[in-house]
Amino acid sequence: PVVWQAPLWKRYSAPAISRGRLFHYDRYGDEDRLICREAETGRKLWTHAAATKYSDMLGYNNGPRCSPVVDGSRVYTFSAEGLLQCVDAASGELAWEVDTAEQFHVVRNFFGVGSTPVVYENYLIVHVGGSPPGGPSDIYSARGQVAPAGTGVVAFDKRDGKVMWKSADELASYASP
């Protein structure tokens, strides 16, 4: 039998469950929302929202593609437009954020960012796929020829969001590292 249910809005992301809490990431209006619920009852504990202007280039779903990643007391999200955020799992308070699209000059792809990050030791490993500054803004204006910049994969310090290392000339994909 169904124990509880809750409305979910635009998204391709799956929920994450940890320590009796369920985290889901969706888009409602002009906000991407990470919502924390009691896993057994569905009672909402908190919501962390971030403004978004993302619009899918092909007119599909404008919600997040990446699932939340829970690591101890932190939850990481990666929006369709490349906003990487870390929030406190107990309160939903923002710990840090990095606009990867801006920092790494990511050329906008058809369906936005769709690669869920991975935690390994003190690293948050993210498939960023950046390009050199001054290049085309999207895949159409680039005519499919996007220059790489050695930021195919970027490892951030999971505690503060600082770049620890970057590697690879591959561009962004929709698969996790």
Side-chain angles (χ1 to χ4, degrees), residues 12 54-62 65 108 110-111:
Y12 284 113
Y54 177 76
S55 179
D56 187 284
M57 292 175 74
L58 298 178
Y60 290 104
N61 184 320
N62 291 332
R65 281 90 164 107
R108 188 168 170 221
F110 300 111
F111 304 113

Side-chain angles (χ1 to χ4, degrees), residues 68-135:
V69 176
V70 184
D71 181 51
S73 65
R74 303 264 176 115
V75 183
Y76 304 95
T77 58
F78 199 24
S79 77
E81 58 194 340
L83 183 62
L84 182 63
Q85 293 189 313
C86 172
V87 301
D88 181 82
S91 68
E93 294 292 320
L94 181 67
W96 57 261
E97 69 180 15
V98 175
D99 184 342
T100 62
E102 182 178 309
Q103 184 172 338
F104 299 101
H105 312 285
V106 177
V107 173
R108 188 168 170 221
N109 211 339
F110 300 111
F111 304 113
V113 173
S115 175
T116 298
V118 173
V119 174
Y120 176 73
E121 295 179 352
N122 287 328
Y123 303 110
L124 181 66
I125 303 170
V126 181
H127 194 175
V128 171
S131 293

Side-chain angles (χ1 to χ4, degrees), residues 31-47:
E31 291 183 326
D32 283 334
R33 306 176 311 169
L34 175 63
I35 298 174
C36 176
R37 298 179 181 276
E38 285 182 347
E40 291 190 14
T41 67
R43 182 174 69 93
K44 188 186 298 185
L45 300 174
W46 54 257
T47 300

